[in-house]
Amino acid sequence: MLGEAAVWPPDKPTPTADEVMADPRYAPYLAGWPRHGDHGLVAEQDGPVGAAWYRTYTEATHGHGFVADDVPELSIAVIASRRHEGIGRRLLIGLIEASVAQGCRALSLSVAENNPARGLYESAGFVLVEKHGHTCVMVRNAAG
Ligand SMILES: CC(C)(COP(=O)(O)OP(=O)(O)OC[C@H]1O[C@@H](n2cnc3c(N)ncnc32)[C@H](O)[C@@H]1OP(=O)(O)O)[C@@H](O)C(=O)NCCC(=O)NCCS
């Protein structure tokens, strides 16, 4: 699912789980899962069809959507054959609700400027806070 989220353009092949596990660029998102505060949801129908998860990072080690060490960064993906059925939205809303229940003040994420997922994030209350080249960092504050 992390490979699906990272290599999101539909015309690019999704890395296999073995490739993702062997690639050090993915390690910050995976190492030691689940650490305290990590949280994830998996959508299943005859096996996993999508997942959304968040974890907190530090100034020293973090992903592209890092804004603060008390703001978890979320990732989300639905397998290509099951997109546009509402699964992603349900996962995202479920994850937001879990973060609020756990007392997180906000969630962050990074998304490519031209990824249509931006519309999903905006409709769930995420706003653009930073831009690095063509990568957008978005934040949703729990307090609204
Ligand atoms: C982003 C993603 C998780 C959304 O999951 P999904 O199950 O397809 O989403 P939903 O069916 O719940 O659709 C929700 C909204 O997503 C938006 N959306 C997401 N991907 C879209 C696409 N490729 N084309 C058009 N709209 C898209 C639409 O605004 C849609 O809103 P609508 O239901 O009002 O039309 C899924 O498309 C995906 O895995 N994409 C590849 C990986 C990725 O980009 N992950 C995010 C990296 S930041």
Side-chain angles (χ1 to χ4, degrees):
M1 289 300 170
L2 179 56
E4 294 271 5
V7 187
W8 62 271
D11 57 335
K12 292 201 179 160
T14 304
T16 65
D18 285 344
E19 287 168 342
V20 169
M21 298 300 275
D23 187 332
R25 290 174 300 174
Y26 292 107
Y29 290 91
L30 295 172
W33 183 279
R35 287 196 303 246
H36 178 71
D38 290 352
H39 191 79
L41 296 172
V42 178
E44 292 190 311
Q45 193 172 56
D46 303 322
V49 295
W53 63 98
Y54 61 71
R55 89 182 314 190
T56 49
Y57 298 91
T58 63
E59 194 70 57
T61 308
H62 60 77
H64 301 290
F66 177 79
V67 294
D69 56 11
D70 64 343
V71 176
E73 176 182 340
L74 80 80
S75 308
I76 184 169
V78 171
I79 60 171
S81 61
R82 298 297 306 271
R83 290 177 191 162
H84 311 296
E85 294 179 27
I87 296 170
R89 187 178 294 278
R90 286 176 61 192
L91 283 169
L92 182 64
I93 299 302
L95 203 63
I96 290 168
E97 287 174 354
S99 76
V100 171
Q102 290 188 338
C104 301
R105 70 175 171 94
L107 285 175
S108 73
L109 60 85
S110 83
V111 60
E113 189 177 32
N114 58 342
N115 187 336
R118 278 182 68 191
L120 171 60
Y121 299 142
E122 282 165 7
S123 71
F126 284 85
V127 296
L128 179 69
V129 293
E130 287 172 35
K131 219 166 156 197
H132 308 290
H134 295 291
T135 301
C136 302
V137 178
M138 303 181 80
V139 167
R140 181 188 189 280
N141 288 310

